[in-house]
Amino acid sequence: MAVLDFLISLSNSIPEPMVGLVLATLFILFILLMAVAFLIFLILLQRIPGTGFLFVEVDFDLEEMITRWLTPKPKRSASTGRGEIKRDLQSRLLQLLNNDVDAAMRLINQQRRLHPKKSDRWILEKVIWDLERDRN
């Protein structure tokens, strides 16, 4: 009842357009107060012997996490990633052909003639797949 009386007296003492703002501010403060009270409750509960099973222990280094968040990440463009994949496929193809570059070019050109609309990556994967299939 005291809270209701307080809100009524508060609404009578401030201009009407400000009532909503004041009530919203009071509500937010109430929610924050409840959150702090809940955290204090959890801290006290954790200190009671035999309640350790209620909590999960997390081992982390706060300083390391902050450093990781603040360290800028190197940006990789999509083309760089595709280029690395293409180089890996080319290396794999040459490995399968014992570094015979002429044979690799012949097989790649043959697949390009058969599948002109396919990407270079697809062509390389197809040539490698065909070679591995034929060897088994």
Side-chain angles (χ1 to χ4, degrees), residues 107-115 123 126-127 130:
L107 291 169
I108 289 171
N109 289 331
Q110 177 186 13
Q111 287 301 325
R112 277 199 184 122
R113 281 192 302 274
L114 293 172
H115 308 281
I123 297 288
K126 173 76 168 130
V127 169
D130 287 345

Side-chain angles (χ1 to χ4, degrees), residues 10-116:
L10 183 66
S11 65
N12 291 334
S13 64
I14 56 175
E16 192 172 319
M18 298 292 289
V19 171
L21 181 63
V22 170
L23 289 177
T25 305
L26 287 174
F27 179 73
I28 290 171
L29 288 174
F30 175 74
I31 296 297
L32 287 173
L33 179 67
M34 294 305 294
V36 169
F38 184 68
L39 287 175
I40 291 171
F41 169 76
L42 288 178
I43 290 169
L44 293 175
L45 182 65
Q46 186 178 16
R47 297 193 186 282
I48 297 173
T51 59
F53 69 94
L54 296 172
F55 301 94
V56 176
E57 288 190 30
V58 179
D59 185 29
F60 67 92
D61 184 9
L62 184 62
E63 186 176 328
E64 177 188 340
M65 287 177 59
I66 292 171
T67 305
R68 201 173 341 133
W69 287 339
L70 296 178
T71 304
K73 308 288 185 282
K75 294 187 179 183
R76 284 182 35 175
S77 65
S79 61
T80 304
R82 289 187 202 122
E84 290 173 8
I85 293 170
K86 189 174 174 183
R87 278 191 295 278
D88 290 344
L89 291 172
Q90 290 169 342
S91 298
R92 176 76 180 129
L93 178 58
L94 288 175
Q95 180 185 14
L96 288 170
L97 294 172
N98 296 323
N99 292 324
D100 187 352
V101 176
D102 292 334
M105 291 308 297
R106 278 195 307 274
L107 291 169
I108 289 171
N109 289 331
Q110 177 186 13
Q111 287 301 325
R112 277 199 184 122
R113 281 192 302 274
L114 293 172
H115 308 281

